[in-house]
Amino acid sequence: MSTRPLVEPSTASDSTGSPPPPTRAHWAARSLAVLAIAWLVFALAHVALSGRFWLWTLPGMLPPVTFVAIPFLLMLLASLARGRRVRTATASLVALLASFPFSGVNLAALDGAERVATNGPTLRVLSLNTDYWGQVRDGIWAEKRDRGRLLDYLRSLDADVYLLQEHMLRVDNRPQPITDLADARAAFPGYQVVAAGTLLTLSRLPVVGHDVVHSRDEPVLQFPAPYGLRVDVQVGGRTLSTYNVHMPVQLLMEESPFSGNFYREIRERHERRSEEYRALTADVKANRNPLLVAGDFNTSPAMGDNRALLNATTDAAASSGDLYPVSWRVGGQVPKLWRNDWALLGNGARAVEYGFVDSMGNSDHAAQRLTVTLGDGRTGEDG
């Protein structure tokens, strides 16, 4: 009795001897593997180029959570990549580990808000981009603001030191710093007022020194310099250096990406931002006082522009208990997925409490509110 060999349907050839056409499962598995490898290449390129190559500014505009969400999703789908499971999962895992520092995820929050002993003088600090100082304006980010309501809101938060950005108005479609400080002085009696360009620092603690922090004086960009204002205040017989920071944006939203000016602006702004971050980082490293660097960096965790500054300081977010801290954009049609506002500490200064608070319609940024302790003064280590 003759027998015929059994042939699996999935491997049987047609009458011409050719293998069967690829199935949908085959193409799905192959596509997943290709996507995982492609994202791995992208993630490694991002680590190498972000903050260093001007054109890589554009990928850095992605919401930071993208850098953890996509490789994690690919890892979950790896089980569907028949015959390519290991390859897909491995590529996704390596991409996740490589790009995790750019994700904005605050792992310290998994242990809850960090508890810091207040064994030294403390002060309350409020930092906010005031969005053109309450000016009602039209344009791409048209908002309804009221300066009186803004000042009432700021006073209600009762900070010892206010680090305020965008102390300016839009005149003939150009930002102009406000030089008349009468309204700030009237709204905050008992505070010392220090202004430079569009930066405004208010302190009810004694001011013992101040200076601008910049790489050069000439206003090359439309957004007026300086981008850093250092004000030293006396806290319980000790000196705290506060840095009020507002870095220029990376690109002009009004420009078309099909125009040469769009890319020229990106390159010029990248070069200027790099110079300003170097100047700020150098000043911070040379400063032996307890220090706080806060403001609108226009830099999300997905960008590598401020990596040297982050390496020289401690992020206050460790005290927030927030797994994914975000500050922009508040209101409007853009979801709040980016953290552009930062508070960094060093030389013994630490955050007892830190968090973003609702700006109550007074800005397109959330406000940063923190309580800072200077410790007992026996160490010069970063917080």
Side-chain angles (χ1 to χ4, degrees):
M1 180 177 179
S2 63
T3 60
R4 296 181 179 178
L6 295 176
V7 180
E8 294 291 338
S10 60
T11 59
S13 301
D14 58 22
S15 57
T16 64
S18 301
T23 63
R24 289 185 178 179
H26 170 85
W27 283 114
R30 186 173 182 178
S31 298
L32 278 173
V34 170
L35 283 174
I37 294 172
W39 186 260
L40 172 60
V41 172
F42 171 79
L44 295 176
H46 191 76
V47 172
L49 300 176
S50 181
R52 298 187 175 102
F53 178 43
W54 66 270
L55 192 56
W56 209 260
T57 294
L58 297 176
M61 305 298 285
L62 289 169
V65 71
T66 304
F67 290 89
V68 67
I70 289 182
F72 185 72
L73 178 62
L74 288 171
M75 286 180 62
L76 293 179
L77 296 176
S79 61
L80 303 178
R82 298 178 181 179
R84 295 177 173 84
R85 292 186 181 94
V86 174
R87 185 185 313 170
T88 303
T90 301
S92 303
L93 176 61
V94 173
L96 176 64
L97 295 175
S99 60
F100 189 85
F102 297 88
S103 69
V105 175
N106 177 29
L107 288 180
L110 297 178
D111 294 327
E114 181 185 21
R115 298 185 180 276
V116 176
T118 55
N119 57 345
T122 62
L123 70 158
R124 295 188 299 275
V125 180
L126 190 285
S127 176
L128 175 66
N129 179 321
T130 64
D131 196 18
Y132 284 80
W133 200 238
Q135 181 185 36
V136 177
R137 59 195 176 94
D138 298 318
I140 190 169
W141 301 128
E143 302 286 357
K144 293 182 179 180
R145 306 285 187 223
D146 179 86
R147 186 174 304 172
R149 189 160 61 93
L150 167 66
L151 294 174
D152 289 342
Y153 166 76
L154 293 173
R155 280 197 303 267
S156 72
L157 296 173
D158 193 30
D160 298 305
V161 175
Y162 291 86
L163 305 176
L164 306 176
Q165 303 89 48
E166 288 200 12
H167 183 239
M168 63 188 188
L169 300 175
R170 184 173 291 273
V171 179
D172 296 329
N173 206 35
R174 294 180 65 87
Q176 295 292 334
I178 297 174
T179 57
D180 183 358
L181 305 179
D183 59 348
R185 289 196 172 100
F188 293 91
Y191 284 74
Q192 291 181 256
V193 181
V194 182
T198 65
L199 302 171
L200 179 67
T201 296
L202 310 173
S203 174
R204 65 180 164 202
L205 302 169
V207 173
V208 295
H210 59 84
D211 197 7
V212 296
V213 180
H214 57 79
S215 62
R216 49 182 172 168
D217 293 324
E218 64 271 19
V220 176
L221 301 181
Q222 184 186 75
F223 186 72
Y227 309 118
L229 171 62
R230 171 178 167 177
V231 176
D232 295 343
V233 299
Q234 197 170 52
V235 188
R238 300 183 61 193
T239 299
L240 171 72
S241 294
T242 67
Y243 293 83
N244 187 351
V245 176
H246 189 192
M247 291 293 176
V249 298
Q250 295 89 343
L251 54 85
L252 291 179
M253 299 294 293
E254 295 85 353
E255 292 287 343
S256 168
F258 300 103
S259 69
N261 192 50
F262 178 82
Y263 297 97
R264 184 164 50 252
E265 282 282 345
I266 292 177
R267 184 165 192 165
E268 291 177 356
R269 288 167 180 269
H270 169 78
E271 292 172 354
R272 186 62 187 264
R273 282 166 53 88
S274 297
E275 291 175 1
E276 296 303 327
Y277 267 123
R278 281 193 292 268
L280 177 60
T281 303
D283 198 282
V284 165
K285 287 183 175 180
N287 193 339
R288 293 295 173 261
N289 296 330
L291 57 88
L292 165 67
V293 185
D296 177 7
F297 287 16
N298 273 312
T299 305
S300 82
M303 305 170 186
D305 305 58
N306 61 343
R307 70 178 83 195
L309 180 61
L310 293 178
N311 290 337
T313 54
T314 299
D315 190 351
S319 300
S320 72
D322 192 344
L323 186 62
Y324 186 64
V326 291
S327 65
W328 189 87
R329 180 179 190 268
V330 178
Q333 303 301 315
V334 180
K336 190 169 68 170
L337 294 173
W338 291 264
R339 179 193 181 189
N340 289 343
D341 302 83
W342 299 74
L344 311 174
L345 303 111
N347 295 342
R350 303 189 71 182
V352 179
E353 295 177 340
Y354 174 77
F356 290 110
V357 295
D358 190 348
S359 55
M360 306 298 292
N362 291 293
S363 175
D364 57 348
H365 291 249
Q368 297 184 92
R369 183 168 60 180
L370 65 159
T371 301
V372 178
T373 179
L374 305 193
D376 56 17
R378 291 181 294 181
T379 73
E381 297 175 0
D382 288 352

